[in-house]
């Protein structure tokens, strides 16, 4: 039972849905009954100034609660991204998987920071109950970090002048980056992050 909708068009803004998913606020909207929406959109806006082209979208609402969300498309800087969130009608717990072969472009689009260049991205996590902390693991492969002020300052203080200069230029290649993240109302908590590459290995934790 419920309503099935198919939508095609030039433009669709799903920023409120994406924000609700990433902030773990549930993405609820005033819908009664079950609604299933599938669409093919030329330009799909995820956040202000960040859109996907040739995008596909599938959304399932169970009443006002967002139950399933699946989206894929092309990033303006090149590469593709897919976001999949799956839940169960009898439980508020939901899982989230984000994959991209253009990590730098995706991170810049979502967070407005440009110190990550290229590489692949895999995010897997459990959104848990609405309002509770969300737990994610972020994996980056074969990506360069450049023009990152905090990391450049740390390398300078450690007398790693050569690496500091590289950070300001072509960047430092990390073959593997693993970042466990807990998302709370007050911010992001990172515990035991690790990065390794031909020139440098790092471990970090912070809030």
């Amino acid at each position: 039972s419920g309503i099935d909708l198919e939508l095609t068009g030039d433009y669709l803004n799903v920023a409120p849905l994406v924000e609700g998913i990433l902030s773990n606020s549930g993405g609820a909207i005033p819908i009664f009954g079950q609604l299933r929406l599938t669409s093919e959109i030329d330009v799909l806006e995820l956040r202000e100034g960040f859109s996907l082209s040739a995008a596909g979208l599938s959304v399932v609402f169970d009443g006002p609660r967002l139950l399933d969300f699946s989206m894929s498309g092309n990033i303006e800087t090149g590469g593709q991204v897919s976001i999949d969130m799956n839940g169960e009608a009898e439980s508020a717990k939901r899982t989230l998987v984000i994959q991209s072969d253009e990590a730098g472009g995706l991170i810049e689009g979502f967070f407005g920071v440009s110190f990550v260049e290229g590489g692949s991205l895999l995010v897997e996590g459990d959104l848990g109950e609405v309002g509770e902390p969300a737990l994610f693991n972020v994996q980056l492969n074969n990506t360069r970090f450049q023009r990152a002020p905090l990391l450049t300052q740390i390398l300078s203080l450690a007398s790693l002048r050569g690496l500091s200069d590289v950070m300001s230029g072509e960047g430092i290649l990390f073959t593997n980056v693993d970042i466990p993240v807990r998302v709370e109302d007050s911010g992001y908590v990172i515990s035991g992050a690790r990065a390794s590459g031909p020139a440098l290995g790092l471990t970090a934790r912070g809030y």
Side-chain angles (χ1 to χ4, degrees):
S1 61
I3 300 174
D4 293 296
L5 296 176
E6 293 185 6
L7 177 67
T8 59
D10 297 330
Y11 171 83
L12 181 65
N13 185 348
V14 293
L17 281 179
V18 174
E19 180 65 26
I21 293 171
L22 296 181
S23 66
N24 201 25
S25 62
I29 62 174
I31 291 178
F32 299 94
Q34 192 170 84
L35 171 66
R36 294 174 290 273
L37 169 68
T38 57
S39 63
E40 294 182 358
I41 304 295
D42 293 338
V43 177
L44 189 69
E45 183 171 342
L46 306 186
R47 303 197 75 163
E48 183 177 355
F50 181 51
S51 302
L52 301 181
S53 61
L57 176 69
S58 175
V59 180
V60 177
F61 279 94
D62 183 31
R65 187 166 70 93
L66 179 60
L67 187 62
D68 292 307
F69 179 94
S70 179
M71 178 196 67
S72 62
N74 300 322
I75 303 173
E76 183 179 356
T77 55
Q80 298 179 321
V81 61
S82 66
I83 301 176
D84 295 283
M85 189 213 76
N86 300 106
E88 298 179 0
E90 63 274 12
S91 172
K93 291 186 177 181
R94 296 158 298 157
T95 59
L96 178 68
V97 178
I98 303 174
Q99 300 181 77
S100 177
D101 57 0
E102 175 47 47
L106 182 63
I107 292 172
E108 182 175 5
F110 269 120
F111 302 105
V113 293
S114 57
F115 63 83
V116 178
E117 180 179 326
S120 62
L121 169 75
L122 174 63
V123 178
E124 296 179 296
D126 183 1
L127 295 173
E129 303 286 341
V130 174
E132 292 186 353
L135 302 175
F136 298 106
N137 193 72
V138 181
Q139 295 179 343
L140 295 164
N141 291 300
N142 299 317
T143 187
R144 288 187 180 274
F145 283 24
Q146 58 183 176
R147 299 184 302 275
L150 178 59
L151 184 53
T152 301
Q153 184 176 9
I154 292 173
L155 294 176
S156 297
L157 291 174
S159 298
L160 299 174
R161 183 64 184 176
L163 289 177
S164 176
D165 291 342
V166 171
M167 279 295 298
S168 301
E170 66 183 11
I172 296 177
L173 174 65
F174 289 103
T175 51
N176 295 285
V177 180
D178 188 78
I179 309 173
V181 181
R182 186 170 77 250
V183 182
E184 302 177 345
D185 291 339
S186 56
Y188 298 85
V189 179
I190 297 174
S191 57
R194 297 178 180 273
S196 61
L200 184 68
L202 296 172
T203 60
R205 64 182 65 243
Y207 176 84

